[in-house]
Structures are given as C-alpha cells and as structure tokens.
Amino acid sequence: MSEVIKIIGIGMIALIIIIVIKQYRPEFAIYISIIAGILILSISLQKMGEIVTLIQSVSEKAGINGKFISILLKITGIAILTEFAVSVCKDSGESAIASKIEMGGKVIIISMSIPIISSLLELMINILP
Amino acid sequence: MDINLLFKIAAIGILVAVLHQVLVRAGREDQAMMTTLAGLIIVLSIVIKEISTLFESVRTLFNL
C-alpha cells in the first residue's frame, strides 16, 4: 500500500514542478518527467523481482521448458524499456521518433521469439498425421 | 535517492531560469546562453546516470 502512495506522490510532485518550470525553461520539464518515470519504474521493478522468481518456480514445477520462460522474461524487459522510451518521446512531441523506437522494439522481440515459433511449428508437424 | 533527486533538478532548473533572466537584463545575452547550456549539461549528466541505473536494474532483473 505504501508503494502506491509513494508512486502517486512522486507523480503529483513531478507534475506540479513541471507546470511551474514549463513557463521559464521548457527543456527542464522533459528532464523532470524522465526522472519521475525512472523513479516510479525503479519502485515497481523492486516488486517485479518477486513476480519473476514466482514465474520461474511455477514454470519449473509445471515442467515447461526453461528456455522459453527466459525468452518470455527477456521480451517483457525489452517491452518495458521500449515503452518507457516511447512514452517519453511522445510526451515531448516527437511521435516520429517514438514510432521508430516502437518498430525497432517489435523487430527485436520477434527476432528473439524465433526459437519459440520454430519449436511450435515442429510440434504441430509431429502432431499432424 | 528518490524524491530529493527530483527537487535537485527542479532547483537547478529554477536557478538557471533566474540566472538567465538576470544576465539578459544585464545585457549579457551570450553569458546567459552559456549558463543555460551549463545547467542543461549538468542535469543531462544526472539524468543519464539515472537512466543507466534503470537499464542496469532491468537487465539484471530479466537477465537480458
């Protein structure tokens, strides 16, 4: 519960500071929004560690191939980082750069999930008569 | 680390804004530009350090 309050507090304080500073020096507003995003992400990432360990333990018990789970976690990490960069670029008005980053992230994610897709195809080929 | 970092950057921003106004009023536009650039670079170094810590924590968490 205290993390939620901390996250909301950081967001509100950053918002107020940005409104104050935007009239005098608009470049610093972007810096403050980036720093606020980083602080909130770091708080939520501390909680993410427990989720990751839970996923890994459950997947081992269920007998799912560990390689796939690690690929899935990598994809989640890439998605978090690219979403962070995309939202910062969109915030500062550069939607062209944001869409390029998004496209690059998607390409990297697809290229990382090639092993999963190939193993899925092999599975289907074995099943089909 | 967390909230006073935000206040530090806000303080640098306000300081640079005030310095810029003072120097512009005093007729030294080029020095005003210099101080603004200096403030920007200082805050940029802080932000880049924080971004690198964030990327490092994500990398170790998801073992990218």
Side-chain angles (χ1 to χ4, degrees):
Chain A
M1 182 54 189
S2 72
E3 278 81 15
V4 175
I5 294 171
K6 200 188 278 190
I7 287 172
I8 293 172
I10 288 178
M12 286 302 129
I13 290 169
L15 179 69
I16 293 162
I17 292 176
I18 282 173
I19 289 172
V20 166
I21 282 197
K22 204 154 204 154
Q23 315 139 17
Y24 306 107
R25 288 283 108 202
E27 312 88 69
F28 286 94
I30 298 166
Y31 281 141
I32 291 177
S33 69
I34 291 175
I35 286 287
I38 288 173
L39 294 181
I40 292 173
L41 256 184
S42 61
I43 290 173
S44 54
L45 278 183
Q46 284 151 13
K47 288 291 164 191
M48 192 79 79
E50 295 147 19
I51 298 172
V52 166
T53 44
L54 174 76
I55 287 174
Q56 278 164 348
S57 62
V58 164
S59 68
E60 267 143 31
K61 283 203 194 69
I64 302 170
N65 185 344
K67 192 159 62 64
F68 295 159
I69 296 298
S70 70
I71 288 178
L72 284 182
L73 287 179
K74 282 198 176 90
I75 287 172
T76 322
I78 290 175
I80 288 175
L81 290 182
T82 45
E83 197 278 333
F84 173 73
V86 162
S87 57
V88 166
C89 289
K90 279 211 174 91
D91 228 9
S92 54
E94 298 299 327
S95 54
I97 299 176
S99 62
K100 297 298 174 294
I101 294 175
E102 206 167 332
M103 191 184 63
K106 282 176 187 155
V107 164
I108 289 173
I109 284 175
I110 290 172
S111 68
M112 281 184 73
S113 63
I114 284 174
I116 296 183
I117 296 169
S118 60
S119 68
L120 183 69
L121 288 179
E122 278 151 27
L123 193 68
M124 278 165 29
I125 289 164
N126 299 347
I127 287 172
L128 293 179
Chain B
M1 195 281 282
D2 49 359
I3 201 71
N4 50 25
L5 185 66
L6 209 64
F7 293 143
K8 194 198 296 185
I9 289 177
I12 292 176
I14 292 169
L15 186 69
V16 163
V18 166
L19 269 175
H20 186 83
Q21 290 298 334
V22 164
L23 283 172
V24 164
R25 290 287 177 276
R28 289 183 176 73
E29 276 74 14
D30 48 0
Q31 284 166 3
M33 165 70 79
M34 289 304 152
T35 50
T36 308
L37 282 180
L40 275 175
I41 288 164
I42 291 169
V43 175
L44 185 63
S45 63
I46 295 172
V47 168
I48 284 178
K49 196 161 54 65
E50 286 308 315
I51 286 179
S52 68
T53 48
L54 173 76
F55 277 20
E56 200 50 44
S57 62
V58 169
R59 207 159 62 83
T60 50
L61 186 63
F62 294 104
N63 50 53
L64 276 170

